[in-house]
C-alpha cells in the first residue's frame, strides 16, 4: 500500500507570546505514515500535538524542520490539498447562512459546476441527515448538527483523504455514533480517514491503525490489536504508553 | 476571480441579514423626515440648511457602516475559526482579502444607493427637480471614497487584533483626514524644519478623502464637475485602494492561522 500522508522528522516550535518561556516545542521529530484506504486514529492527551500536526499538513503552520507530504506532494505546495477534506476542531460556521448556502459557497471555491454542486449537496445532506434543516440558518443548529455540517463541508469536493480534528468531541453518545457511522461509510467508499481523538472506545471500533503521541513524540504506531497487545483494552494500553501508572494514581 | 466573488457574496449576505444596517438606515430616514417636516417657512435658506444636515447624516452613517462591517470581517473569521476550513480549500490568502474588500465595498454601495434614492426623493418632493447627474457624481465619488476607507480598515484589521480598537483608530484617522487633511500644507509653512518636512510629506502621502466630498454640489444645485476631473479622482482612489490591499496581503501572508 502507498503512503498517502507522511511526515518525516517533523518538528514544530511555537514562539511564545510571553518571552520568558521562550519557545514551545509542540512536535519533536514526528514520523508518521498513513496508507491508502485505511482509517487511522491519531491519539494523544490534550496538548500532545495532534492539532499542530494537522496544522502543518494543511499549511497553516510552517514546520521548523522536517517534512510533511500529502499524496507525495510537499505540503508547502497548495496543490497538495486539492484532494483532501478537512474538519477543524470547534468551528462555528457562518451563522447567518443556511447549510445549503454554506455548502454552495465552498463548492464554488472548488470550482464545481452548478449541476454537480446540486447533486453533491443533496447527497451530503442525506449522508449527514440534515435534509430537514437545510434551509434553516446554521445559528439555529444544535452542536451535533453543526459538527455534521462540518463533516459535509469537508466532503464537498469528494476528497480521497479526510483529515478530521476531534470529530466527536463535545457530542452526546447519539451524535458520536452518527459521526462514527459516517466514518465507516467513508471507509466503505474507499476513502482514507486520518482523525484525531482521545475517545479510545470509538477509536477501537472504527480504526484500522492508530498512532499514540505524547508531548510531541510518537510513542506507538500500529494495528489496534498490536497496540492493545497484552493489555485488557486500548485504554489501558494508552495510559501505560503515555506513562500514567494507574496503581500509583490517587 | 470566481473565488473572490464567492467570498464577496457571503459578506453581502451577512450585511443584509444582520439588523444593524436597517437600524442605522431607519434612524437616518426618521431624522431626515422629521427635519423635512420642520421646514414651515419655505425659506430657501432653511431648505438648504436642512439638505446640508441630511447629507452630513448620510455621510456619517455611510462611514459607520463601512468601518464597522469591514473591521469585524477577518477577526470574526479567526474567532469563529471559519478561516481554517476556508484556507484549507483552494483559496489563496490574497483572494480572501480581495473578496472581503469587494464584499464590503459592494455592500456599502448598496447602502449608499438606498441613502441617495431616499435623499433624492425627499429633495424632489420639496424642490420639484431631479438633478440626476449631480446625484450620480456625488454618489460615485462618495462610493470610491468608501472604497479607500474599506481597504484601509481591512489593512487595519490585520495589524490591530481587536476590531474595536481598529474601528476607533480608523475613525480617528479618517476624521482627521477629512477635517485637517486639506490644510496640512498651510500648517507646514508655519513650522520649522524637521517638522515642516514631515507634515509636508504627510500632506502628499495621505489619501485626500475630502476631494470626494461633493455634498455642496447637491446642496447648492451647482453645475456638474467636469468628467475628466471625476475620472482622475477615481483613478487616484483606485491607486490608494490597491496600495492598502497590497499591504494587507503582505501582512496576512506572514500570519500563522491557528
Ligand atoms: N499558537 C500557539 N502558540 C504557542 N503554543 C501553542 C500554540 N498552539 C499550540 N501550542 C502548544 O503546543 C502544544 C500542542 O498543542 P496541540 O497541537 O493543540 O495539542 P492537541 O491538539 O494534541 O491537544 C500544546 O502544549 C500547546 O500549548
Ligand atoms: Mg487539538
Amino acid at each position: 500500500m502507498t503512503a498517502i500522508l507522511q511526515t518525516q522528522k517533523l518538528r514544530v516550535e511555537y514562539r511564545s507570546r510571553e518571552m520568558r518561556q521562550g519557545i514551545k516545542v509542540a512536535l519533536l521529530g514526528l514520523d508518521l505514515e498513513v496508507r491508502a484506504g485505511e482509517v487511522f486514529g491519531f491519539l494523544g492527551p490534550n496538548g500532545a500535538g495532534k492539532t499542530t500536526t494537522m496544522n502543518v499538513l494543511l499549511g497553516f503552520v510552517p514546520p521548523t524542520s522536517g517534512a510533511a507530504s500529502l499524496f507525495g506532494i510537499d505540503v508547502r505546495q497548495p496543490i497538495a490539498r486539492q484532494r483532501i477534506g478537512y474538519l477543524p476542531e470547534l468551528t462555528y460556521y457562518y451563522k447567518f447562512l443556511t447549510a445549503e448556502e454554506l455548502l454552495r459557497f465552498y463548492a464554488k471555491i472548488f470550482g464545481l459546476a452548478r449541476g454537480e454542486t446540486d447533486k453533491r449537496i443533496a447527497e451530503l445532506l442525506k449522508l449527514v441527515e440534515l435534509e430537514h434543516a437545510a434551509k434553516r440558518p446554521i445559528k439555529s443548529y444544535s452542536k451535533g448538527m453543526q459538527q455534521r455540517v462540518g463533516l459535509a463541508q469537508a466532503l464537498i469536493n469528494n476528497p480521497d483523504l479526510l483529515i478530521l480534528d476531534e470529530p466527536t468531541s463535545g457530542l452526546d453518545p447519539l451524535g458520536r455514533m452518527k459521526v462514527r457511522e459516517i466514518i465507516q461509510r467513508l471507509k466503505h467508499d474507499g476513502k482514507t480517514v486520518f482523525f484525531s481523538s482521545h475517545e479510545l472506545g470509538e477509536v477501537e471500533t472504527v480504526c484500522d491503525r492508530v498512532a499514540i503521541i505524547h508531548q510531541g513524540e510518537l510513542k506507538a504506531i500500529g494495528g489496534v490489536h498490536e497496540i492493545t497487545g497484552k493489555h485488557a483494552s486500548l485504554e489501558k494500553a494508552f495510559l501505560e504508553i503515555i506513562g500514567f501508572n494507574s496503581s500509583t494514581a490517587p | 476571480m470566481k473565488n473572490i466573488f464567492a467570498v464577496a457574496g457571503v459578506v453581502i449576505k451577512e450585511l443584509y441579514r444582520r439588523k444593524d444596517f436597517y437600524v442605522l438606515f431607519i434612524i437616518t430616514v426618521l431624522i431626515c423626515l422629521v427635519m423635512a417636516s420642520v421646514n414651515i417657512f419655505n425659506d430657501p435658506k432653511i431648505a438648504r440648511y436642512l439638505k446640508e444636515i441630511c447629507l452630513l447624516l448620510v455621510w456619517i452613517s455611510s462611514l459607520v457602516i463601512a468601518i464597522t462591517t469591514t473591521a469585524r470581517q477577518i477577526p470574526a473569521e479567526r474567532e469563529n475559526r471559519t478561516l481554517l476550513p476556508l484556507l484549507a480549500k483552494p483559496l489563496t490568502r490574497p483572494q480572501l482579502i480581495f473578496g472581503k474588500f469587494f464584499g464590503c465595498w459592494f455592500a456599502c454601495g448598496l447602502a449608499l444607493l438606498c441613502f441617495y434614492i431616499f435623499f433624492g426623493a425627499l429633495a424632489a418632493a420639496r424642490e420639484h427637480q431631479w438633478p440626476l447627474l449631480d446625484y450620480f457624481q456625488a454618489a460615485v465619488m462618495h462610493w470610491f471614497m468608501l472604497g479607500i476607507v474599506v481597504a484601509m480598515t481591512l489593512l487595519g484589521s490585520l495589524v490591530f487584533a481587536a476590531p474595536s480598537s481598529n474601528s476607533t483608530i480608523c475613525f480617528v484617522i479618517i476624521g482627521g483626514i477629512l477635517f485637517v487633511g486639506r490644510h496640512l500644507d498651510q500648517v507646514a509653512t508655519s513650522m520649522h524644519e524637521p517638522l515642516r518636512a514631515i507634515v509636508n510629506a504627510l500632506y502628499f502621502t495621505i489619501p485626500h478623502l475630502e476631494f470626494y466630498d461633493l455634498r455642496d454640489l447637491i446642496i447648492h444645485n451647482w453645475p456638474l464637475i467636469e468628467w475628466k476631473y471625476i475620472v482622475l479622482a477615481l483613478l487616484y482612489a483606485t491607486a490608494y485602494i490597491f496600495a492598502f490591499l497590497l499591504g494587507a496581503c503582505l501582512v496576512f501572508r506572514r500570519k500563522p492561522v491557528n
Side-chain angles (χ1 to χ4, degrees):
Chain A
M1 275 204 233
T2 49
I4 277 199
L5 182 162
Q6 203 167 25
T7 68
Q8 283 160 341
K9 299 207 165 33
L10 191 65
R11 183 182 176 88
V12 172
E13 294 169 2
Y14 286 114
R15 220 155 285 282
S16 255
R17 302 252 152 173
E18 306 91 57
M19 282 319 283
R20 258 181 299 140
Q21 291 177 326
I23 53 170
K24 160 89 199 162
V25 183
L27 290 177
L28 356 50
L30 185 70
D31 286 306
L32 214 59
E33 193 184 291
V34 178
R35 302 167 193 156
E38 68 182 357
V39 175
F40 192 98
F42 192 36
L43 312 182
N46 284 325
K50 304 182 294 294
T51 301
T52 302
T53 308
M54 296 189 170
N55 283 344
V56 171
L57 292 169
L58 291 155
F60 298 154
V61 171
T64 309
S65 65
S69 62
L70 298 171
F71 304 99
I73 306 168
D74 192 296
V75 293
R76 278 170 298 189
Q77 291 176 266
I79 189 83
R81 285 180 280 283
Q82 191 70 35
R83 286 157 63 204
I84 67 155
Y86 166 58
L87 173 73
E89 69 180 323
L90 300 174
T91 295
Y92 311 99
Y93 295 90
Y94 305 99
K95 299 182 187 69
F96 49 91
L97 294 182
T98 66
E100 198 184 317
E101 287 171 329
L102 182 81
L103 294 177
R104 203 168 287 282
F105 167 55
Y106 288 137
K108 232 181 248 171
I109 291 176
F110 274 108
L112 263 58
R114 215 191 161 82
E116 198 185 342
T117 303
D118 291 340
K119 200 171 129 251
R120 191 83 196 127
I121 289 176
E123 276 170 22
L124 287 175
L125 289 174
K126 185 150 176 275
L127 176 72
V128 300
E129 297 174 28
L130 283 175
E131 294 142 303
H132 62 288
K135 299 211 187 299
R136 256 169 43 198
I138 293 175
K139 65 169 169 254
S140 69
Y141 285 16
S142 71
K143 186 122 207 278
M145 290 162 82
Q146 292 220 11
Q147 196 70 349
R148 281 182 279 144
V149 171
L151 270 170
Q153 67 77 28
L155 290 165
I156 190 76
N157 57 330
N158 198 7
D160 297 319
L161 167 66
L162 277 140
I163 299 180
L164 314 175
D165 199 353
E166 301 196 10
T168 58
S169 79
L171 298 187
D172 61 17
L174 182 66
R176 256 186 256 169
M177 194 190 73
K178 283 189 176 165
V179 170
R180 236 176 10 240
E181 275 175 14
I182 293 170
I183 293 177
Q184 265 154 347
R185 277 280 299 277
L186 295 171
K187 177 182 162 62
H188 180 79
D189 293 345
K191 315 276 187 211
T192 311
V193 182
F194 176 70
F195 78 101
S196 71
S197 180
H198 44 227
E199 319 259 353
L200 297 155
E202 79 191 26
V203 169
E204 222 164 356
T205 57
V206 300
C207 290
D208 300 312
R209 291 202 308 145
V210 298
I212 296 177
I213 66 164
H214 184 42
Q215 297 178 340
E217 276 182 290
L218 186 69
K219 296 293 185 188
I221 183 166
V224 174
H225 298 296
E226 252 174 88
I227 289 191
T228 309
K230 60 185 192 312
H231 300 279
S233 67
L234 186 61
E235 184 169 5
K236 288 262 160 51
F238 175 80
L239 291 173
E240 172 99 23
I241 287 167
I242 65 168
F244 178 85
N245 194 333
S246 53
S247 60
T248 60
Chain B
M1 222 44 192
K2 214 171 53 219
N3 284 355
I4 293 178
F5 287 118
V7 174
V10 171
V11 176
I12 293 172
K13 272 206 187 96
E14 179 185 10
L15 187 80
Y16 76 66
R17 286 188 189 171
R18 286 174 65 113
K19 309 284 176 293
D20 32 359
F21 165 66
Y22 298 104
V23 171
L24 198 59
F25 184 71
I26 289 168
I27 290 176
T28 310
V29 164
L30 280 183
I31 295 177
C32 291
L33 281 178
V34 167
M35 294 210 312
S37 60
V38 166
N39 180 13
I40 36 178
F41 305 105
N42 255 339
D43 179 346
K45 233 195 220 145
I46 292 182
R48 204 175 300 146
Y49 183 58
L50 288 175
K51 273 164 97 178
E52 214 164 296
I53 295 183
C54 288
L55 277 178
L56 181 67
L57 269 176
V58 168
W59 263 70
I60 293 173
S61 305
S62 71
L63 282 175
V64 170
I65 291 175
I67 294 176
T68 52
T69 358
T70 314
R72 69 161 180 260
Q73 288 304 324
I74 290 180
E77 292 263 356
R78 276 179 181 283
E79 201 174 314
N80 299 331
R81 298 167 55 85
T82 41
L83 201 54
L84 301 172
L86 196 53
L87 291 179
K89 300 192 165 48
L91 177 86
T92 64
R93 293 183 183 202
Q95 280 173 339
L96 179 64
I97 299 270
F98 275 80
K100 290 290 184 191
F101 167 77
F102 280 113
C104 293
W105 193 38
F106 289 159
C108 287
L110 286 178
L112 272 193
L113 199 66
C114 297
F115 280 132
Y116 275 87
I117 288 176
F118 163 73
F119 180 84
L122 199 65
R126 310 217 124 263
E127 298 177 350
H128 307 290
Q129 56 173 337
W130 276 95
L132 271 185
L133 282 178
D134 286 23
Y135 283 130
F136 179 74
Q137 281 195 341
V140 165
M141 292 287 272
H142 191 166
W143 189 42
F144 271 74
M145 192 246 6
L146 290 181
I148 302 180
V149 170
V150 167
M152 189 194 260
T153 312
L154 204 55
L155 171 62
S157 74
L158 289 163
V159 176
F160 310 105
S164 56
S165 61
N166 178 34
S167 301
T168 314
I169 291 168
C170 288
F171 270 118
V172 170
I173 291 180
I174 288 157
I177 291 176
L178 282 172
F179 285 114
V180 300
R182 79 188 83 184
H183 305 304
L184 277 181
D185 55 340
Q186 287 142 3
V187 173
T189 52
S190 66
M191 284 177 164
H192 291 296
E193 228 344 295
L195 259 182
R196 182 180 190 161
I198 293 170
V199 173
N200 259 325
L202 207 60
Y203 179 75
F204 285 107
T205 47
I206 58 168
H208 283 273
L209 301 178
E210 71 275 5
F211 290 170
Y212 299 85
D213 182 359
L214 297 190
R215 279 178 295 166
D216 286 345
L217 196 70
I218 302 180
I219 293 168
H220 304 288
N221 293 330
W222 280 345
L224 288 178
I225 293 181
E226 267 189 73
W227 288 99
K228 68 177 179 214
Y229 294 119
I230 299 278
V231 170
L232 271 180
L234 300 189
L235 288 177
Y236 174 87
T238 311
Y240 271 99
I241 289 171
F242 266 96
F244 283 126
L245 291 181
L246 200 68
C249 290
L250 288 177
V251 174
F252 196 37
R253 202 180 55 165
R254 308 231 147 269
K255 286 226 157 164
V257 281
N258 70 327

